[in-house]
């Protein structure tokens, strides 16, 4: 488990000049943010050996919970080049809670072969639920009014199922090699409740890998590998929210 609170205060000045480098106006911005990140997880795993040759099945179950909360306050003040106020202050507050639940499980099996070779195979499945809210209010005539253009609520679900197999062999005292193949299916659903927009994706892909290793001596080893991988975005990157700098 982990609990991590933090605060951040920033002051910023933006000066706007014309083409002749004359100051036209300036904006003073003050922002205060209070953030809290909380997470905890639990893991259960099992490994057993079927015999003395190294036949080894294993299993793993895991649950992880993430929760974040951000309270934000932004104040913009507008002045001309003579330090005279040109507009009323623009005051915006934000309340952004977020929750992520991750469930995963996998089963692996290692089967040794003759002549320093072995085969490994497994199945893995994961399921993710995220619930992220961005509530923004503007202060107008001493009343907090919901800012519809910035307020949002997004739900996201993702299920990844994979089957994989690899074979490795110690070719001699210096050379070893490994080859693998992973079949992965991804099903994702997004629901932007604020605008009633949804999407669904379902795709299956293959990911091969190959490794070769050369041990020159006890202190030096060279490796070369090639393969196909997938880079997934962070869950917060998927939120269709405004981000203020």
């Amino acid at each position: 488990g982990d609990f991590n609170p933090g605060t951040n205060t920033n002051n910023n000045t933006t000066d706007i000049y014309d083409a002749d480098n004359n100051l036209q106006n300036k904006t003073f911005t003050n922002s205060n943010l209070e953030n809290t990140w909380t997470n905890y997880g639990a893991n259960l795993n099992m490994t057993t050996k079927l015999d003395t040759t190294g036949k080894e099945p294993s299993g793993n179950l895991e649950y992880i919970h993430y929760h974040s909360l951000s309270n934000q306050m932004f104040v913009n003040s507008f002045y001309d080049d003579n330090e005279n106020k040109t507009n009323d202050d623009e005051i915006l507050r934000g309340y952004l809670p977020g929750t992520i639940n991750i469930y995963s499980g996998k089963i692996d099996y290692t089967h040794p072969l003759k002549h320093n070779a072995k085969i490994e195979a497994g199945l893995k499945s994961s399921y993710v639920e995220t619930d992220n809210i961005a509530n923004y209010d503007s202060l107008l005539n001493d009343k907090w009014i919901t800012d519809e253009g910035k307020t949002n609520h997004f739900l996201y679900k993702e299920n990844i199922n994979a089957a994989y197999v690899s074979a490795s062999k110690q070719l001699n005292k210096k050379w070893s090699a490994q080859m693998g193949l992973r079949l992965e299916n991804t099903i994702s659903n997004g629901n932007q409740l604020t605008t009633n927009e949804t999407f669904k994706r379902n795709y299956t892909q293959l990911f091969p890998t190959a490794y070769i290793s050369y041990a020159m001596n006890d202190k030096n080893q060279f490796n070369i590998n090639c393969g196909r991988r997938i880079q997934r975005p962070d869950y917060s990157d998927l939120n269709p929210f405004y981000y203020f700098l």
Side-chain angles (χ1 to χ4, degrees):
D2 183 72
F3 176 71
N4 183 17
T7 59
N8 192 353
T9 300
N10 291 296
N11 293 296
N12 185 71
T13 302
T14 303
D15 295 329
I16 304 298
Y17 295 85
D18 62 14
D20 297 323
N21 206 33
N22 298 313
L23 181 65
Q24 297 297 293
N25 55 70
K26 59 175 55 182
T27 302
F28 297 102
T29 302
N30 172 262
S31 63
N32 291 277
L33 297 91
E34 297 180 356
N35 301 308
T36 303
W37 296 272
T38 306
N39 69 74
Y40 56 83
N43 175 275
L44 176 66
N45 57 77
M46 179 201 72
T47 301
T48 184
K49 294 184 178 181
L50 301 180
D51 53 30
T52 57
T53 65
K55 296 176 182 178
E56 185 177 285
S58 62
N60 185 293
L61 295 174
E62 190 167 25
Y63 168 70
I64 303 175
H65 173 85
Y66 292 95
H67 180 74
S68 63
L69 178 61
S70 179
N71 287 297
Q72 306 175 347
M73 181 71 73
F74 303 95
V75 180
N76 289 319
S77 302
F78 308 96
Y79 296 86
D80 60 18
D81 58 336
N82 295 316
E83 302 290 336
N84 298 313
K85 262 199 168 186
T86 58
N87 298 90
D88 293 335
D89 289 348
E90 185 181 82
I91 303 176
L92 181 72
R93 71 179 182 183
Y95 174 75
L96 290 81
T99 302
I100 304 175
N101 289 300
I102 303 174
Y103 310 84
S104 68
K106 68 175 182 176
I107 298 175
D108 293 323
Y109 177 67
T110 300
H111 188 88
L113 302 172
K114 295 180 180 179
H115 308 298
N116 296 319
K118 66 178 179 180
I119 293 178
E120 297 174 283
L123 301 170
K124 181 177 181 178
S125 181
S126 66
Y127 179 72
V128 178
E129 291 180 323
T130 72
D131 187 344
N132 291 282
I133 298 173
N135 286 333
Y136 284 101
D137 302 316
S138 295
L139 187 62
L140 301 173
N141 299 321
D142 296 326
K143 292 183 179 180
W144 289 106
I145 306 297
T146 299
D147 192 323
E148 302 289 352
K150 301 179 180 68
T151 295
N152 213 332
H153 189 181
F154 182 64
L155 303 176
Y156 179 75
K157 298 179 181 179
E158 181 182 79
N159 176 223
I160 302 174
N161 302 293
Y164 42 90
V165 62
S166 67
S168 60
K169 180 175 174 57
Q170 186 71 38
L171 303 175
N172 52 44
K173 291 183 178 181
K174 293 184 178 293
W175 289 93
S176 62
Q178 178 178 328
M179 298 184 66
L181 184 64
R182 178 185 180 95
L183 175 68
E184 189 171 283
N185 171 256
T186 301
I187 303 171
S188 59
N189 294 273
N191 185 359
Q192 190 170 208
L193 299 179
T194 309
T195 59
N196 198 31
E197 294 177 81
T198 63
F199 71 85
K200 182 175 182 179
R201 299 186 67 195
N202 187 338
Y203 54 93
T204 302
Q205 295 182 334
L206 282 171
F207 300 95
T209 55
Y211 302 84
I212 297 177
S213 177
Y214 172 71
M216 187 172 67
N217 50 46
D218 292 340
K219 295 183 178 181
N220 296 278
Q221 185 174 2
F222 298 90
N223 299 283
I224 185 171
N225 67 79
C226 62
R228 184 171 184 262
R229 299 183 181 276
I230 187 169
Q231 181 70 39
R232 301 184 186 278
D234 293 336
Y235 295 117
S236 60
D237 293 335
L238 299 175
N239 294 333
F241 296 169
Y242 283 109
Y243 185 78
F244 296 96
L245 295 177

